[in-house]
Amino acid sequence: MEKLQGWRVQRDFFLYLVVLQVFVVYHQQVIASREVDALHAFRQAVYDPNNVLDSWDPTLVDPCTWFHVTCNQNKVVTRIDLPRSALSGALVPELADLKFLQYLELYNNNFSGSIPGELGRLTQLLSLDLFGNSLTGVIPAQLGELNNLRFLRLNYNRLSGAIPSTLSGLSSLRVLDLSHNDLSGQVPSLGAFSHFTPASYAANPKLCGSPVGKACPKLVASET
């Protein structure tokens, strides 16, 4: 009887491991499929004259085999590295489906249009480098939800409007560069912004406030 009970325990444990393994594999396939869809949407929106994205084949279920894409040991996408690649087009909101993304390095290209507010859902993001493009519109307030963000470089674009006060809550932020845009209004001075020098805001003549050493008009100061 004891041997029979022991065999049943071993059998049940073995079945549990099999079911667990099937679940893990299925979960990984679901994530990979979602990531492939997101990366394919990005590729479809981009003009790629040098064919740097040729390896991005949506029929392959594993984007970890694509050039310029890095995955971790769990086979999820953690990096996109496409600097200085002569890419142009728009940044698509589907990028927010890369739930485990830590580095989005798209600097020194010619991307245009606005920064999708959906990028604020990339809660694992450590570095957002979009400098040296032709991005327009405002800095999305949703970027203030990137609590792990350490590097935010949006310099040398054509961004306008105010710097969102939500960014002051990014306690992990160590590098901020918003220079050489067309930003306006009062620069936040509390929270994360207390660490940054005027160089972070240079060449934005419409900015004002103590961080840039320029007094704000009373109307602007009262509104912020």
Side-chain angles (χ1 to χ4, degrees), residues 4 17 40 46 69 78 100 102 115 130 161 165 167 169:
L4 180 59
L17 291 179
H40 181 59
V46 166
V69 174
T78 57
F100 301 94
Q102 295 180 328
I115 300 173
L130 303 178
S165 59
L167 300 183

Side-chain angles (χ1 to χ4, degrees), residues 158-207:
R158 301 174 185 174
L159 300 171
S160 58
I163 299 173
S165 59
T166 55
L167 300 183
S168 62
L170 297 177
S171 58
S172 297
L173 196 61
R174 295 295 176 264
V175 174
L176 173 71
D177 197 341
L178 305 177
S179 64
H180 297 273
N181 279 288
D182 191 30
L183 301 172
S184 59
Q186 187 170 13
V187 178
S189 57
L190 301 177
F193 284 85
S194 63
H195 306 297
F196 304 122
T197 68
S200 295
Y201 320 105
N204 285 284
K206 298 177 186 177
L207 288 177

Side-chain angles (χ1 to χ4, degrees), residues 11 15 31 51 82-83 86 89 111 125 140 149 154 156 205 214 216:
R11 180 200 61 186
L15 290 175
I31 292 176
N51 299 316
L82 288 164
F111 289 106
L125 204 63
L149 197 66
L154 306 177
Y156 286 99
K214 179 182 177 182
C216 291

Side-chain angles (χ1 to χ4, degrees), residues 58-80:
T59 64
L60 301 177
V61 296
D62 185 7
C64 303
T65 62
W66 300 357
F67 292 142
H68 314 291
V69 174
T70 302
C71 298
N72 65 11
Q73 66 273 16
N74 295 320
K75 297 293 186 179
V76 295
V77 175
T78 57
R79 292 187 68 114
I80 299 177

